[in-house]
Amino acid sequence: MVTIAQCQRLQTAWFAALANATGGKTFSTHGSTWAWLPARRELMLMFPERISAAGVRPALAEGTRLGAATVGVWLNGSVDSAGLAGLGFEPGWQPWWMAAPVAAPASYDAGAARLTTAVAEYRGPLARELRVVNGQPRQAWHAEIRTSEGISGAAYSFYPPGMHGLEGLGGIFNMEVLPEHQRQGFGTALLSRSAQAAEEAGARYLALNATPEGFALYSQRGFTLVGRGRTHWLTL
């Protein structure tokens, strides 16, 4: 049984891996855990137990020094977010945490989806973030699907082996199929190939955060809703 707390820890671990791969960092301020993601100039506060100005203001100053363009706060639904408005944050999209036994999505036909460590079309943030697949020990894989027009969709699978509280749990992140190629089975193929990579690495379960639009696909491929979170955003 995958819990919301595990989904949150997995999301935090994913951002930490991206930070490490792209020259960023993680740090703490008064009990608040932050991830600096330089590829996209984003600073993320990861699931604080409470919101306090003492925990947020020093990080905002550090974000300004680093050149952050956006600050995001990821919250458990039970945390009082009232203090964020006074700091300039606005409510954002709602993550829908979903989970499945890894064998469920892995059982579908992966079709033309394949794992790759290089994508010719990637530039800027996409190219920098792809470095996460080269970390050692290996904990991330990138799947892509192509048509004659080039890359049509992609996704990451992530499995941090040996991380306390996440034993056997992997994740699917940044999955996207370009609008003109949707409803052709590409999402299922990417999900299957990504799940297979995580399963081969040792994952027994998978978690992801879905948008309402992605909920339909995931729920048809073995994922069930664990719970919902919240995000808040500030433009610097």
Side-chain angles (χ1 to χ4, degrees), residues 92-151:
W93 67 284
Q94 185 179 50
W96 291 22
W97 302 112
M98 303 186 74
V102 68
S107 67
Y108 288 89
D109 184 5
R114 65 187 185 93
L115 299 180
T116 181
T117 58
V119 180
E121 293 92 339
Y122 280 5
R123 299 288 187 276
L126 290 175
R128 292 181 66 183
E129 289 171 347
L130 190 57
R131 299 173 190 168
V132 73
V133 304
N134 297 318
Q136 295 297 326
R138 184 76 177 271
Q139 58 181 351
W141 297 262
H142 178 270
E144 68 170 22
I145 195 162
R146 289 181 172 273
T147 65
S148 59
E149 301 170 13
I151 190 167

Side-chain angles (χ1 to χ4, degrees), residues 100-101 103-108 185 187-189 191 215-223:
S107 67
Y108 288 89
T188 296
L191 188 61
F215 177 81
L217 169 65
Y218 299 130
S219 60
Q220 293 168 6
R221 299 296 180 263
F223 286 82

Side-chain angles (χ1 to χ4, degrees), residues 25 27 36 41 43 58-69 236:
K25 63 178 182 177
F27 61 95
W36 163 234
R41 297 175 61 201
L43 181 63
L60 294 183
E62 177 66 0
T64 300
R65 186 190 72 80
L66 291 168
L236 293 180

Side-chain angles (χ1 to χ4, degrees), residues 138-224:
R138 184 76 177 271
Q139 58 181 351
W141 297 262
H142 178 270
E144 68 170 22
I145 195 162
R146 289 181 172 273
T147 65
S148 59
E149 301 170 13
I151 190 167
S152 302
Y156 283 96
S157 53
F158 178 62
Y159 179 62
M163 184 167 290
H164 179 67
L166 294 179
E167 294 85 353
L169 181 62
I172 305 294
F173 294 98
N174 297 17
M175 189 167 116
E176 181 180 12
V177 176
L178 297 179
E180 61 269 28
H181 296 291
Q182 293 177 1
R183 301 189 182 281
Q184 299 180 44
F186 292 170
T188 296
L190 285 168
L191 188 61
S192 178
R193 184 67 72 203
S194 299
Q196 290 168 11
E199 184 175 34
E200 290 172 5
R204 302 188 303 276
Y205 293 90
L206 287 176
L208 52 80
N209 62 74
T211 62
E213 294 77 15
F215 177 81
L217 169 65
Y218 299 130
S219 60
Q220 293 168 6
R221 299 296 180 263
F223 286 82
T224 57

